[in-house]
Amino acid sequence: MKLYYSSTSPYVRKCLIAAHELGLADRIELAPVVTMPTAHSPELMRDNPLCKLPTLVTDEGQALYDSRVVCEYLNDQGGGALIPAGGGKWAALVDQSLADGILDAALLMRYEVVLRPAERQWPAWRETQEEKACSALGQFERAVGGWPADRLDIGVIALASALSYLDLRFPDLDWRGPHPGLAAWFADFDQRPSMRATVLKA
Amino acid sequence: MKLYYSSTSPYVRKCLIAAHELGLADRIELAPVVTMPTAHSPELMRDNPLCKLPTLVTDEGQALYDSRVVCEYLNDQGGGALIPAGGGKWAALVDQSLADGILDAALLMRYEVVLRPAERQWPAWRETQEEKACSALGQFERAVGGWPADRLDIGVIALASALSYLDLRFPDLDWRGPHPGLAAWFADFDQRPSMRATVLKA
């Protein structure tokens, strides 16, 4: 399998954490590409018209995207339970949505200040996205105390990826301060080999 | 089940088309809310910290989001095959991602011109999003000739919802001109009772 890859993409990291947890990492060839909303990679474009990371090309040549589809495919390939079959399925999928929501907001915040010319930036937009991210973090903080210590599913993998992206791009946000339970959970989860093998690098 | 609802939300429409196709529409109570990225609904916020539509509250009181999770839940509840179990699964899910990518781009284009003050708008951002949408439309145009005439799965439901949103908000885009095959497919699909029952209204 070929995975279009960037070391700064939190959605790529989500897939890689899943691959490591499923024992599939050594079956994935990484294809580094540089892509931004305003700068396309022609190679990636051929496999994904949206030109977004991650995109996985299977051994049969089928291009799969976005990260949710890739993670579900990897879970199937690995015979895993990252998407639980039973009652925990909907909680795991909703937590994935919530964590992806943090990331979507963080990426919009990032694009606002990195891509957009300074005079075209609109502080209210950044604030709105930050509110969404913080509201979602608050929900996780309220929930984390009720999780099994060894919880491992696509919801927490997405969450770990989102938190690591906040650390990479928004260190001043200090998400740990108001969310001590989440901070303690992440400190523990972040020691997993799947996390150590996939650290985001700017 | 309660579905937070807006008559202009294409992601809500995706869920409603699915519900109608699955015979579940009369089990869903619509809860109209007004929400925009910059104007929150406190009621919706209680069930979804991201304050995004759609959000479904099940009869057991569990809040489900986003549209992909809601559609998968509805498909399970209705015992449907909108997410095929066999080999068509990945094609359906990738097409859903591609169609959702059109919608994400269209929504960012819409927010750019409707929410953001004129002097803060950045034409290159709008153009970039329009390119993504058009690139995805081109992919569908190349593929549509190979589809069964009666294709019905979450991929085409997402696509129909995306095209209807372009008609609602971007009539000047004239997506039909360069995509005659897709236009013919949509003209046919749009006659389904599930489409007639869920028309977007500004």
Side-chain angles (χ1 to χ4, degrees):
Chain A
M1 298 178 273
K2 178 173 84 168
L3 183 68
Y4 287 101
Y5 167 87
S6 158
S7 67
T8 61
S9 166
Y11 281 121
V12 167
R13 188 180 193 191
K14 185 170 84 164
C15 298
L16 287 176
I17 300 168
H20 277 273
E21 293 291 352
L22 292 161
L24 295 173
D26 60 2
R27 287 181 47 196
I28 296 178
E29 167 206 353
L30 298 180
V33 287
V34 176
T35 183
M36 288 289 277
T38 49
H40 290 168
S41 150
E43 186 193 2
L44 174 55
M45 196 83 173
R46 275 193 295 276
D47 280 316
N48 179 350
L50 299 167
C51 207
K52 286 183 182 174
L53 294 173
T55 297
L56 181 83
V57 182
T58 70
D59 292 338
E60 294 74 36
Q62 185 171 22
L64 301 180
Y65 45 87
D66 52 16
S67 72
R68 293 199 197 169
V69 178
V70 172
C71 287
E72 186 168 344
Y73 178 80
L74 293 175
N75 190 61
D76 270 26
Q77 289 290 302
L82 297 184
I83 302 166
K89 175 178 177 178
W90 304 111
L93 291 180
V94 169
D95 279 351
Q96 177 176 221
S97 287
L98 194 58
D100 286 356
I102 294 173
L103 270 186
D104 288 340
L107 287 165
L108 287 174
M109 288 163 65
R110 169 100 181 144
Y111 297 152
E112 182 77 14
V113 296
V114 170
L115 293 183
R116 192 178 285 263
E119 70 277 11
R120 303 286 185 176
Q121 294 174 17
W122 185 34
W125 180 251
R126 193 203 135 112
E127 287 157 21
T128 286
Q129 299 306 325
E130 188 170 322
E131 281 169 19
K132 281 193 191 291
C134 291
S135 168
L137 289 170
Q139 170 78 10
F140 280 123
E141 176 70 14
R142 289 188 292 278
V144 69
W147 295 350
D150 58 350
R151 181 178 169 187
L152 179 66
D153 58 43
I154 198 61
V156 288
I157 288 173
L159 174 60
S161 177
L163 295 175
S164 72
Y165 186 73
L166 296 181
D167 282 343
L168 178 73
R169 296 298 194 197
F170 300 96
D172 295 345
L173 189 67
D174 183 29
W175 64 265
R176 288 175 178 79
H179 309 105
L182 198 53
W185 171 83
F186 183 63
D188 186 51
F189 193 89
D190 199 35
Q191 297 310 310
R192 298 184 73 89
S194 64
M195 292 294 289
R196 294 297 86 213
T198 60
V199 175
L200 293 177
K201 291 187 194 75
Chain B
M1 298 179 272
K2 179 172 83 167
L3 182 69
Y4 287 100
Y5 167 87
S6 158
S7 68
T8 62
S9 166
Y11 281 120
V12 166
R13 188 181 193 191
K14 184 169 83 164
C15 298
L16 287 176
I17 299 167
H20 277 272
E21 293 291 352
L22 293 161
L24 295 173
D26 60 1
R27 286 180 47 196
I28 295 178
E29 167 207 352
L30 298 180
V33 287
V34 177
T35 184
M36 287 291 276
T38 49
H40 290 169
S41 149
E43 186 193 1
L44 173 56
M45 195 85 173
R46 276 193 294 275
D47 281 314
N48 179 349
L50 298 167
C51 207
K52 286 184 182 174
L53 293 173
T55 297
L56 181 83
V57 182
T58 70
D59 292 340
E60 293 74 37
Q62 185 171 22
L64 300 180
Y65 45 87
D66 50 19
S67 72
R68 294 201 196 167
V69 178
V70 171
C71 286
E72 186 168 344
Y73 179 80
L74 292 175
N75 189 61
D76 270 26
Q77 289 290 302
L82 297 184
I83 302 167
K89 175 177 177 179
W90 304 112
L93 291 180
V94 169
D95 280 350
Q96 177 177 220
S97 287
L98 194 57
D100 287 355
I102 294 173
L103 270 186
D104 288 341
L107 287 164
L108 286 175
M109 289 162 65
R110 170 101 182 141
Y111 297 153
E112 182 78 13
V113 295
V114 170
L115 293 183
R116 193 178 284 261
E119 70 277 12
R120 303 286 186 177
Q121 294 174 17
W122 185 36
W125 180 252
R126 195 203 134 110
E127 286 156 22
T128 284
Q129 299 305 323
E130 190 171 321
E131 280 168 20
K132 280 192 190 291
C134 290
S135 168
L137 289 169
Q139 170 78 9
F140 280 123
E141 176 70 15
R142 289 188 292 277
V144 68
W147 296 350
D150 59 349
R151 180 178 170 188
L152 180 67
D153 58 42
I154 198 62
V156 289
I157 288 173
L159 174 59
S161 177
L163 295 175
S164 72
Y165 185 72
L166 296 181
D167 282 342
L168 178 73
R169 296 298 194 197
F170 300 96
D172 295 345
L173 189 67
D174 183 29
W175 64 264
R176 287 176 180 78
H179 309 104
L182 198 53
W185 171 83
F186 184 63
D188 186 51
F189 193 88
D190 199 35
Q191 297 309 311
R192 298 184 72 90
S194 65
M195 293 293 288
R196 295 297 88 215
T198 60
V199 176
L200 294 176
K201 291 187 194 75

